[in-house]
Amino acid sequence: MIQPLINPKELPFQLYEVLDTEALLARERFSEHSKDTFDAILNTADKIATEKFANHNAKADSQEPTYDGQNVHMIEEVKHAFDAYSAAGFMAGRYDFDEGGMQLPESIMMACSGFFMAANPSTAGYPFLTVAAANVIRNFASPTLVEQFMPRMLSGEFTGTMALTEPHAGSSLADIRTQATPADDGSYRLKGSKLYISGGEHQLSENIVHLVLAKIQGAPAGVKGISLFVVPKYRLDEQGNPKTKNDVALAGLIHKLGYRGTTSTALTFGENDDCYGYLVGEPHQGLRYMFLMMNEARIGVGFGAAMIGYSGYQYSLAYAKERTQGRLPPHNSPTDAATEIINHGDVKRMLLAQKSYVEGAISLCLYAARLVDDINTLNAEDEKRSTEELLDLLTPVVKAWPSEFGVKANDLAIQVLGGAGYTREYPVEQCWRDNRLNPIHEGTNGIQALDLLTRKLWQANGAGLRTLQHRMQQDFSKADGEFCLPLVTALSPYLNELQGLIPKLAKGLHSEDQPTLLANAQCFMNIFSSIVISWIWIRQANVAEAALQHCEQADKHYYLGKIQAAKYYIHWELPLIQRDISLLNELDDSCSGMQADWF
Amino acid sequence: MIQPLINPKELPFQLYEVLDTEALLARERFSEHSKDTFDAILNTADKIATEKFANHNAKADSQEPTYDGQNVHMIEEVKHAFDAYSAAGFMAGRYDFDEGGMQLPESIMMACSGFFMAANPSTAGYPFLTVAAANVIRNFASPTLVEQFMPRMLSGEFTGTMALTEPHAGSSLADIRTQATPADDGSYRLKGSKLYISGGEHQLSENIVHLVLAKIQGAPAGVKGISLFVVPKYRLDEQGNPKTKNDVALAGLIHKLGYRGTTSTALTFGENDDCYGYLVGEPHQGLRYMFLMMNEARIGVGFGAAMIGYSGYQYSLAYAKERTQGRLPPHNSPTDAATEIINHGDVKRMLLAQKSYVEGAISLCLYAARLVDDINTLNAEDEKRSTEELLDLLTPVVKAWPSEFGVKANDLAIQVLGGAGYTREYPVEQCWRDNRLNPIHEGTNGIQALDLLTRKLWQANGAGLRTLQHRMQQDFSKADGEFCLPLVTALSPYLNELQGLIPKLAKGLHSEDQPTLLANAQCFMNIFSSIVISWIWIRQANVAEAALQHCEQADKHYYLGKIQAAKYYIHWELPLIQRDISLLNELDDSCSGMQADWF
């Protein structure tokens, strides 16, 4: 089955109809662009993703990278894809024209990344990690470091990594032990071990620029003593070319469930006391710098999860339209022709659930990207600040919800294919394995739930939540059509429940009930994210219902599908949070009351 | 981490405390047994599973069987395990003493199988499939066929398969095309293709006995024209030894997501018009025979899913007790020692959810096994019949619920391990992949939901449901302790909702609402199975609460854990069905109203 990576209607719908991305053209930063240039870059992404990435998604999975003790080897298609990506200028897509960038909005760049994630998430990992690392250097490093490393990362000559996790310290970065000792030349010598470093070794680039969290000798304990360093695989000569091998060693490749094309490495720094590192910004500020990137990375994780989910959805949809099995009344006779399985009610359910998850997730992530654009280009300081507050609040949801429901979507895609879905002859099982990473990395979903409940909800005295509620009400007030009005009515009691919970939580978190509330943090994530996704679906349905009045006959089905998916989400998925509302209201202690010895 | 396959308290609790398996000793069939002989066989299973099966579970996954065009090769440990299993007499464990069997109850045999499934589900597949095929032959084939094949299958010299699925016919067996033509010697010549045949080719045994569904020329269309044949890989000579290669060819091995140690094959029958098949029983009765085995197989699938789920749970539990990360108040300082992650509320939640799923599933499946024992050994015809009706009703739940929640448990096990869980260096990802087969095979869970809603619920005028309700009430009336009484109170409104739904469904299924109800069949499965599992948990909690009064101090934790898991299930999982109750009551048409063109 040959099919487009993404339904050609989907991204234009999200970008131009739901988000009004064209409005960005009025902002000074994007004034040299037009809808045509946006479309052109989207088409380029589609073409490169289709031709250079999708072609080896399965192959990179079945022939994963190997290490012979000297070098890491991988199939050559990865390098071709990486080079095509950087040659097309995507690495610098977000940057200023005078930096050699394309000065494109985040909304458009994220939409472009969707093609690569749908085509081949593990090959896409190499350029994406490089862009993320280059961003940190650009924002926080000294002009010298910026000059040395950034241009070569944006050209694809150098690649980048983020080296945070250590064998004993994953979620708890406070406990990292990698040491940095000041040297006479102003640089540092690093010593320590890092684990699960994606892209930590390969032959795709002339150099690998590791961004390493470490503690300068004598630094305060915990997160307040963490600094960030640039640690290149090869140190640069005076011309800025990679020359001397730095003391960074590959201890081994980690073999993963999925995402197999992206090397995951155990790295040793300073085994021979000769590992040079260059401090980024100020000492002890490393976690703050890293978290600015981490917040972007979390949106990227959510969107990647959405796109892998989407990929499986599209495949299972195409399969269900072709595969025949069984019969529907009145054609019950064994001599009647079998029907396409998409006509069976339970298959419709599994496809519609997938659609509601993945298109809901895509829409949410692009909404977040638009907030980034607004933060970057709005002039009014107060608007900018309230947009930042909103994005802060939504970030844990943008990371956790698509990653949880992307995997669920892929699970349903397997089920739609039945026995075929369980074989490696079909692509959906790989989607499921690849996507399973997303609830784990860049802060597990458990960490996201805690972050939301204990921090993001209360930031700036709850200003983010107020902005969100205001924006929701604006969208709900538009929902006056026959399809959308009942959806808002159905959502309304849950909004009231959420409203009623907030003061209880505020109080409970500062009382003896705290451990119980923390054990039930996932309940709040369920409530909050399900309401957010309902709103995101009502936004889509609003646009679709309006479009039905004037669209061409051929487009009606697409819009009706959007409305039906919104209805499905609000009728089938949203009501599940009644459970979570009760558990929080009742301060249920089933989990917090369980003792380790009782298991 | 070296740990027992199953917590040594678990099976004795289920068998002797919850199910009173010792009561079976009073039945004539088991009168030569004692609790000691039961325990001895359980210990033997544990020992062989630990020594011969668990040792190569990961190896059989990473070095899956290969086909060189002539033979299928696999790691030698599989053969050693298979031989140890049959040498210990497990193949014939259920059979009469005078058949060379051990005349053991199904309850005990299933508990034994738990060790093998926990240790290595894909190697266990070979003997389990053989036993299932031998059962069909024993029950339905002519004395000649029984004599030729059964003893050698029970000795492990021959293995067995079930060859149902064809490339175009999976769920819809009515459409199979394999043809059987009568030959002069009373046998048949078969011609056709079968797909996803587990154990369809290997070198573990001298012969492979395929049980093949096919249509005799001129048979009625659909399910009424399906016959069952014994088709051996080698035809037997007059001494009953495998001699001439039959015309069954391996078209290829299927490469699966998990369960990789069990070969999955595409087989071609009669490519050279020389494939001998021997009719089992009467013509056109094949599906009926196969379904008797299928019902047993479905219970086996449920239990297998429960045990793979259990395996992941046990591993993640041991990991969470050892791995330290982060701190809990009042030890918040970075200089305080980190805590074991089992002490974090969200980790407790993930472990407790797993416990509620897998121990609920184990208890349900052993309950079903006990019903089989009662059907086989009760004297009173009416008790026997009502037990059969109950088992019929429960079978779709026993297949579908553990397979759905076994995968969910394994997903949570991965999440507890975090990054480590995503690597193939740890066993939980394999559990997750292996277990994903179970919602698919032996009738997808979608088929189970339809079977429950449209058939099983109404059989014998709903006698099965009445028996179930009667048995539930018996258990609830015992639940008068401080822990259990509130659980029954919490369950009670859902029982009323179920009661109220039944007549609506009965009416709706014979009205124009039928397509809507069929599209929402999973809702009824959710409601019914969640109520059944709540009952199963109350049964366990009842026993635990009573035991707390007199047990030794050392056992108290185990019983408290049972009570807490029951509480978790009823507080956290059961309330989710309120959504399903509403959707069925409101005849929600979100799914049935979706059109294929709208996706």
Side-chain angles (χ1 to χ4, degrees), chain A residues 64 170 175 255-257 323 325 327 411 422 424 433 436 564 567 571-572 579 588-590, chain B residues 64 167 170 175 255-257 325 327 411 422 424 433 436 564 567 571-572 579 588-590:
Chain A
E64 65 187 327
D175 294 320
H255 297 96
K256 303 188 298 304
L257 167 59
R323 170 76 174 176
Q325 196 80 179
R327 288 156 190 85
D411 177 82
Y422 196 67
R424 277 135 57 204
R433 286 186 290 108
R436 187 62 188 80
Q564 197 76 6
K567 179 178 167 184
H571 287 208
W572 284 62
R579 183 273 306 253
D588 184 89
D589 66 350
S590 304
Chain B
E64 66 187 327
D175 295 320
H255 298 96
K256 303 190 298 305
L257 167 60
Q325 195 81 178
R327 288 156 191 86
D411 178 80
Y422 196 67
R424 277 134 59 204
R433 286 186 290 107
R436 186 62 188 81
Q564 196 77 7
K567 178 178 167 184
H571 287 208
W572 283 63
R579 182 273 306 253
D588 184 89
D589 66 351
S590 304

Side-chain angles (χ1 to χ4, degrees), chain B residues 24 65 105 162 173 183 259 261 269 274 394 397 422 426 477 484 500 510 521 566:
Chain B
L24 291 175
M162 303 189 259
L173 288 172
Y259 250 100
F269 295 87
D274 194 36
L394 288 177
V397 176
Y422 196 67
Y426 291 82
S477 67
C484 289
H510 294 93

Side-chain angles (χ1 to χ4, degrees), chain B residues 84-130:
Chain B
Y85 184 96
S86 40
F90 283 108
M91 295 275 198
R94 292 159 176 90
Y95 295 128
D96 300 351
F97 293 127
D98 62 16
E99 288 174 293
M102 295 195 274
Q103 214 160 303
L104 281 162
E106 181 64 23
S107 314
I108 296 295
M109 288 306 296
M110 184 177 280
C112 287
S113 77
F115 290 102
F116 299 103
M117 294 302 296
N120 186 332
S122 59
T123 292
Y126 297 104
F128 288 8
L129 285 162
T130 302

Side-chain angles (χ1 to χ4, degrees), chain A residues 446-458:
Chain A
I447 296 286
Q448 303 302 325
L450 287 174
D451 183 43
L452 176 65
L453 176 62
T454 66
R455 206 159 25 204
K456 295 297 169 64
L457 196 55
W458 319 107

Side-chain angles (χ1 to χ4, degrees), chain B residues 25 35 163 240-241 278 319-320 339 409 433 453 455 534 560 562:
Chain B
L25 296 168
K35 181 166 180 296
N241 295 315
Y278 311 101
Y319 184 91
T339 186
R433 286 186 290 107
L453 176 63
R455 207 158 27 204
S534 297
L560 286 166
K562 283 288 179 191

